[in-house]
Amino acid sequence: MLVSMLVMVAATLRLCPLARAQPLCRNHIVRTGKVFPMRQQMQGDHERLSSMTTRLIRHPCQENIALYLGRQLFFTRNNFESSLLPFSIPTILQVGVPEVTHAHFAGPLLLLVVNQKVYFYDYEAEFWAPSRGIKHPVSHLSGDNCCYGEHFLCLDISSFIFAYLYGDAIAQTKIYFSDNQGRTFQKYLQKGQEELVGSLGGIFYFHSLSQIGLLLINQGRAQFLYTDYPLNHSLGLPFNYSGSLEVIVAPGQKGILLLWFEKNLLISKNVGQLVDSVPVKESQSVSHSSILEANLTIHSVAANENEMAVLTRENKLYYGSLGILTNFLIKFADQNLWSQETVLMFTKPGILQVLTPIPDASFPAFDFQKCIVNIQAVLMDPQLQIGFCKVELLQADFEDKMYIIDMNSKLELAAFMIPRPGTSPVPVVTVSNPHSLGLQAVIYENGYSYDGNIEYRLNISLRQQQHGGRADPSFTSRIQKPTMSTVTVDIANKEISCVDLKPLTAIISIGCDIDKKIVVRNEISACNKGILDPVTLQKSTEDLVVRYPYKKLGCPLLVYYDIPWKPVVELWRDGSFQEVIHAEYVLLEVNGLFTYTYSLTARTALCTSQPQNWSSIVKAGGHMGSYTWNRENYVSCHDPNNRVPLEWPDVPYHILGGPTDNKVTFNQRNGIYVFFISIVDPYYSYCHLENTFSVYVYGAFPLPLFPPEITILLLMLAILLSVWLAYMIPKVLHTEWGRRVWGLWAHLGRSCARSCGHVPCKCCACTEEAQTHLKIKNV
């Protein structure tokens, strides 16, 4: 029995080396489309990378599209699953000998810096063109890609590109930016740039923090400078480097940066504010604080949203997680993988591809040697002594989605976790931009799974940090500016073996909710009171000076001219009523009618500074037109920071709503007014809430032809004249002159009466009896 046990132990010991001898991956060569020898099929100048370091850039949103940069360039649409000709630029562009220093994917475009100029290749339309607007040499590009669908905010992230000259003196370098995916560029001006010391190591738009960051390099040390409040008051912590510093912005907008040069790999979880070396574990007993300490030379670095991998010139492969607490590299088993042309690439979570192009002496197209590493299978190697994953399930409906939080709004999210029995994983919620987005999280038991394991529910409440009441104003960003953040749910004590358990991430835009709109309440219209006919409003064109857009405006709101009035403004979202708006807003009659004014003046509105009005806004707007008064240029006259002196206190106050009870007063005129309304309160919504509505003013009597004073004077004179005549005529008739006048009128009356009997009556003194006599005689 003892002998049998010894035999089994010996057999086990013999099998262990065999198990450890299993390779990480098995090489296979992709060779397609080579039936007959052929000449070069693609016309143009072959491109090559100017540096000796091989790179591979993969489109973060389209997993099969990538660009290999080495002695030759290869562009693939199928993840290098076919032999490829070297990538070339059309000769018609006349670039000379094309040397590529950098490349970047921006949506459907591949941007390339060739001989210090930028070109773009639309690989969907197969179209080449030079980018316009760049007047100085550039060497590098930077940008990001959002893969959360066709949301307009996501498209904006992918459209913003920087172009710059790496290593140029920061005080005098020329930086360019593009907001249309690199088709055209314009100069970027950084405030105080001429006062900075050192050289430019890069410029990046960190969408996860809503900041632009400049990487400053000076005497072997580097640090980030940020452009917006509150981070513009201090620099990121400096870190040491040597050689050429490469920056990888990890996909997913979580604020993760990998910074590396040949002798070290650094990581930052907050876009460069804190930068640390990545520790290295050679084995369970041997570890180093950095690659520099391990005396390794980096050849290739690959990263996706949650993983990283490093291939060294010492022919060693390292793997690490980008989790909250698992930012270290572990060494995989030795295998001959390195060559000067080899690169690493994650094709999907947990799948690492080691890629090497192979020339063919008989064909111009290159083959590709692939070695695919299944990370999960490698981590199960007992030699690595990796603990099992403590979580069976982590899921949420918000994963890989975009949400909007408008001003004074909040968002409720929920995630679910099922731990392995007997374990205690710790879920944690983080935001990439705590200066703008605050959170509260509560976890509780939510029942049991089908296997009898406890299910936990994590409720997450998100709102603006400025409205949370727990952050100091010096920590929060400027509330007037829209910002962005990501929210991530992960496991704090997650093992590196949780390869398939990726964090749950969503992008939160603290900005305009495009589903919001404003409506002016119209309960009593001129149509339902019978004053106006809807058919007439729709069809009449002869009596109207301007055409009335009935489909847009409907029946106008009925307003009595002699009562001060202001509209009741409602907020609607996605067809549902939200609230009555009490924020500040302005009105403007669109057809140029100014037969109205306001009930308050600057003095009675208690303004402490000169208020804005439409005249000042139109003057400041210039060619932009009249409708430019909005939340972005409005300045309250009650703002203590407004230093404009109150020079004309009796001018009408044009702002309605807010802290005043200002109203519109109409002149004595009946008719239709079409008003443009704009919410100007910068703290109500990030949207430009605007609309157009109409009112019908009624009840005004026609204006007199003469001024009332003249009419009253004439009436008083007429009364006095009548009284005088009533007194004087009887008195005059008793005089000799009066009797003569009376006799004259009597004689005239008798003459007229005689004439009425023969001819139709035309005399002014013809009596009714005479006309009756005439009618009878005619009969």
Side-chain angles (χ1 to χ4, degrees):
M1 182 66 180
L2 181 58
V3 174
S4 300
M5 292 178 63
L6 292 175
V7 171
M8 293 176 62
V9 170
T12 303
L13 292 175
R14 286 195 301 270
L15 287 174
C16 285
L18 294 176
R20 289 194 297 268
Q22 293 295 321
L24 292 174
C25 57
R26 299 187 182 277
N27 292 326
H28 72 280
I29 295 178
V30 174
R31 179 182 174 89
T32 62
K34 294 184 177 181
V35 180
F36 304 103
M38 57 184 176
R39 59 182 177 86
Q40 181 71 34
Q41 294 179 349
M42 180 175 292
Q43 302 298 321
D45 299 317
H46 290 181
E47 298 168 303
R48 64 185 180 89
L49 190 64
S50 61
S51 69
M52 296 301 295
T53 305
T54 309
R55 300 283 185 271
L56 191 141
I57 302 174
R58 184 167 176 265
H59 199 302
C61 304
Q62 303 181 44
E63 60 182 18
N64 291 326
I65 293 179
L67 178 70
Y68 174 94
L69 300 97
R71 294 177 182 175
Q72 292 84 20
L73 271 66
F74 299 99
F75 175 73
T76 179
R77 303 170 188 263
N78 60 0
N79 198 22
F80 301 99
E81 289 296 330
S82 61
S83 300
L84 293 173
L85 294 167
F87 197 47
S88 61
I89 187 169
T91 307
I92 193 173
L93 295 179
Q94 299 179 351
V95 299
V97 179
E99 289 194 354
V100 178
T101 54
H102 209 259
H104 175 75
F105 283 105
L109 302 185
L110 171 60
L111 302 175
L112 294 164
V113 181
V114 184
N115 297 348
Q116 297 188 329
K117 297 180 180 179
V118 179
Y119 298 84
F120 67 86
Y121 172 59
D122 188 332
Y123 53 81
E124 293 181 350
E126 297 187 351
F127 171 75
W128 278 93
S131 297
R132 300 192 303 273
I134 296 180
K135 306 299 183 183
H136 298 84
V138 297
S139 63
H140 282 63
L141 301 164
S142 71
D144 205 346
N145 279 274
C146 176
C147 307
Y148 291 81
E150 296 298 320
H151 196 284
F152 73 97
L153 293 174
C154 198
L155 297 177
D156 287 345
I157 292 176
S158 303
S159 298
F160 206 95
I161 309 293
F162 278 113
Y164 57 94
L165 181 61
Y166 179 88
D168 199 15
I170 184 67
Q172 62 186 23
T173 190
K174 306 299 181 184
I175 302 173
Y176 295 88
F177 78 94
S178 170
D179 56 5
N180 57 7
Q181 297 177 332
R183 293 176 173 87
T184 59
F185 284 84
Q186 53 188 307
K187 281 186 178 180
Y188 172 79
L189 299 177
Q190 172 62 41
K191 184 179 179 181
Q193 179 179 336
E194 63 280 357
E195 301 174 1
L196 299 176
V197 178
S199 59
L200 179 64
I203 180 170
F204 309 89
Y205 197 134
F206 297 131
H207 298 276
S208 61
L209 197 59
S210 297
Q211 292 273 358
I212 293 175
L214 280 79
L215 181 58
L216 308 181
I217 295 175
N218 189 22
Q219 298 179 353
R221 292 175 67 81
Q223 60 187 148
F224 280 92
L225 176 147
Y226 305 93
T227 58
D228 291 323
Y229 185 85
L231 297 184
N232 59 345
H233 291 293
S234 61
L235 300 175
L237 291 182
F239 55 92
N240 297 323
Y241 88 102
S242 62
S244 178
L245 186 63
E246 298 284 341
V247 180
I248 298 176
V249 181
Q253 289 78 45
K254 292 190 292 186
I256 300 175
L257 302 181
L258 292 177
L259 307 97
W260 68 278
F261 49 97
E262 282 191 345
K263 289 299 181 181
N264 206 3
L265 174 64
L266 309 168
I267 188 170
S268 174
K269 293 298 190 68
N270 49 13
V271 293
Q273 297 179 68
L274 298 174
V275 179
D276 296 312
S277 296
V278 178
V280 178
K281 288 188 176 182
E282 297 284 349
S283 64
Q284 289 297 319
S285 59
V286 179
S287 61
H288 305 281
S289 62
S290 65
I291 286 182
L292 179 63
E293 183 181 291
N295 196 26
L296 299 172
T297 302
I298 297 176
H299 172 71
S300 179
V301 177
N304 59 19
E305 293 186 17
N306 310 300
E307 302 168 282
M308 57 181 169
V310 174
L311 179 63
T312 69
R313 293 180 182 270
E314 292 78 11
N315 211 4
K316 296 181 179 180
L317 181 63
Y318 295 85
Y319 171 81
S321 171
L322 297 179
I324 295 176
L325 299 178
T326 52
N327 300 320
F328 57 87
L329 294 170
I330 62 171
K331 179 180 173 297
F332 282 173
D334 293 334
Q335 183 173 334
N336 188 20
L337 298 174
W338 179 83
S339 73
Q340 186 61 45
E341 304 299 320
T342 300
V343 292
L344 300 179
M345 176 178 65
F346 284 101
T347 57
K348 58 181 62 176
I351 302 298
L352 179 66
Q353 183 171 280
V354 184
L355 182 75
T356 306
I358 300 177
D360 191 325
S362 303
F363 298 90
F366 280 63
D367 302 327
F368 293 93
Q369 177 179 285
K370 290 186 173 184
C371 196
I372 299 176
V373 181
N374 186 324
I375 301 297
Q376 189 70 70
V378 174
L379 293 176
M380 294 176 63
D381 186 346
Q383 280 190 322
L384 296 177
Q385 299 181 14
I386 302 297
F388 59 84
C389 187
K390 295 185 175 70
V391 180
E392 292 185 350
L393 176 69
L394 182 65
Q395 68 177 16
D397 293 335
F398 63 79
E399 183 180 9
D400 296 339
K401 294 182 180 179
M402 294 196 70
Y403 296 88
I404 297 177
I405 298 179
D406 204 343
M407 195 87 70
N408 302 301
S409 302
K410 65 179 181 179
L411 178 65
E412 303 291 339
L413 303 176
F416 299 90
M417 180 190 70
I418 300 178
R420 291 175 66 100
T423 62
S424 300
V426 180
V428 62
V429 186
T430 59
V431 293
S432 63
N433 189 357
H435 307 285
S436 297
L437 186 62
L439 67 87
Q440 287 183 322
V442 178
I443 188 170
Y444 57 89
E445 293 185 10
N446 192 49
Y448 294 87
S449 67
Y450 292 113
D451 298 333
N453 296 334
I454 299 177
E455 179 185 89
Y456 291 90
R457 178 186 176 100
L458 184 64
N459 287 344
I460 306 166
S461 179
L462 301 171
R463 64 183 306 172
Q464 283 180 279
Q465 190 69 276
Q466 295 87 345
H467 295 150
R470 297 184 297 174
D472 189 271
S474 62
F475 177 79
T476 59
S477 60
R478 290 188 175 94
I479 192 172
Q480 297 94 333
K481 178 185 175 183
T483 54
M484 186 175 292
S485 178
T486 55
V487 56
T488 302
V489 178
D490 201 357
I491 306 300
N493 54 343
K494 182 172 67 175
E495 292 75 13
I496 197 173
S497 60
C498 298
V499 175
D500 298 328
L501 193 77
K502 67 174 187 175
L504 309 175
T505 303
I507 293 182
I508 310 298
S509 169
I510 302 99
C512 173
D513 186 348
I514 60 175
D515 293 328
K516 286 184 176 181
K517 68 175 184 177
I518 57 172
V519 176
V520 174
R521 184 179 295 175
N522 188 357
E523 295 178 342
I524 302 177
S525 70
C527 295
N528 57 33
K529 287 296 182 180
I531 298 177
L532 294 177
D533 184 7
V535 178
T536 304
L537 286 174
Q538 295 179 68
K539 297 182 180 180
S540 176
T541 59
E542 297 179 358
D543 298 330
L544 297 177
V545 178
V546 293
R547 195 177 188 89
Y548 185 82
Y550 181 81
K551 289 185 177 180
K552 178 181 179 181
L553 301 178
C555 275
L557 175 67
L558 192 61
V559 176
Y560 185 65
Y561 91 98
D562 201 26
I563 299 177
W565 163 87
K566 70 175 181 179
V568 178
V569 188
E570 299 176 342
L571 177 67
W572 289 67
R573 183 183 184 278
D574 201 18
S576 299
F577 170 77
Q578 302 296 309
E579 63 181 6
V580 174
I581 297 176
H582 300 289
E584 294 166 304
Y585 59 92
V586 293
L587 299 177
L588 178 66
E589 212 288 326
V590 301
N591 296 315
L593 288 175
F594 296 103
T595 54
Y596 63 94
T597 186
Y598 300 89
S599 61
L600 297 181
T601 63
R603 187 197 310 275
T604 55
L606 304 179
C607 288
T608 58
S609 58
Q610 192 66 42
Q612 295 172 306
N613 56 38
W614 278 108
S615 298
S616 63
I617 292 297
V618 172
K619 182 178 180 181
H623 67 282
M624 298 298 293
S626 301
Y627 311 117
T628 56
W629 203 350
N630 51 49
R631 65 177 301 273
E632 294 181 0
N633 59 3
Y634 171 67
V635 180
S636 174
C637 69
H638 303 100
D639 187 352
N641 296 321
N642 187 355
R643 302 301 182 185
V644 180
L646 183 60
E647 298 180 352
W648 300 283
D650 296 323
V651 297
Y653 182 63
H654 286 195
I655 295 92
L656 290 84
T660 69
D661 193 28
N662 195 21
K663 294 183 179 180
V664 176
T665 60
F666 293 96
N667 295 358
Q668 191 173 345
R669 176 190 177 276
N670 296 334
I672 296 177
Y673 294 76
V674 180
F675 283 107
F676 165 78
I677 181 172
S678 173
I679 306 296
V680 296
D681 187 345
Y683 301 104
Y684 182 74
S685 172
Y686 288 104
C687 301
H688 287 184
L689 295 174
E690 302 169 346
N691 206 344
T692 307
F693 69 100
S694 63
V695 300
Y696 181 78
V697 177
Y698 76 103
F701 291 104
L703 293 174
L705 297 176
F706 304 101
E709 295 81 3
I710 297 178
T711 304
I712 294 173
L713 178 62
L714 293 176
L715 181 61
M716 293 300 296
L717 290 175
I719 293 174
L720 291 175
L721 180 62
S722 300
V723 172
W724 182 79
L725 290 174
Y727 169 75
M728 291 300 297
I729 289 176
K731 188 174 181 179
V732 171
L733 289 178
H734 289 83
T735 65
E736 182 63 25
W737 183 81
R739 283 192 292 270
R740 288 180 181 180
V741 173
W742 178 257
L744 179 62
W745 279 99
H747 176 71
L748 183 62
R750 287 192 295 271
S751 299
C752 184
R754 286 194 298 270
S755 299
C756 289
H758 305 286
V759 296
C761 181
K762 297 182 179 179
C763 178
C764 61
C766 184
T767 62
E768 184 179 350
E769 290 81 5
Q771 292 191 28
T772 304
H773 174 74
L774 178 61
K775 291 179 181 179
I776 295 173
K777 186 176 180 179
N778 290 338
V779 173

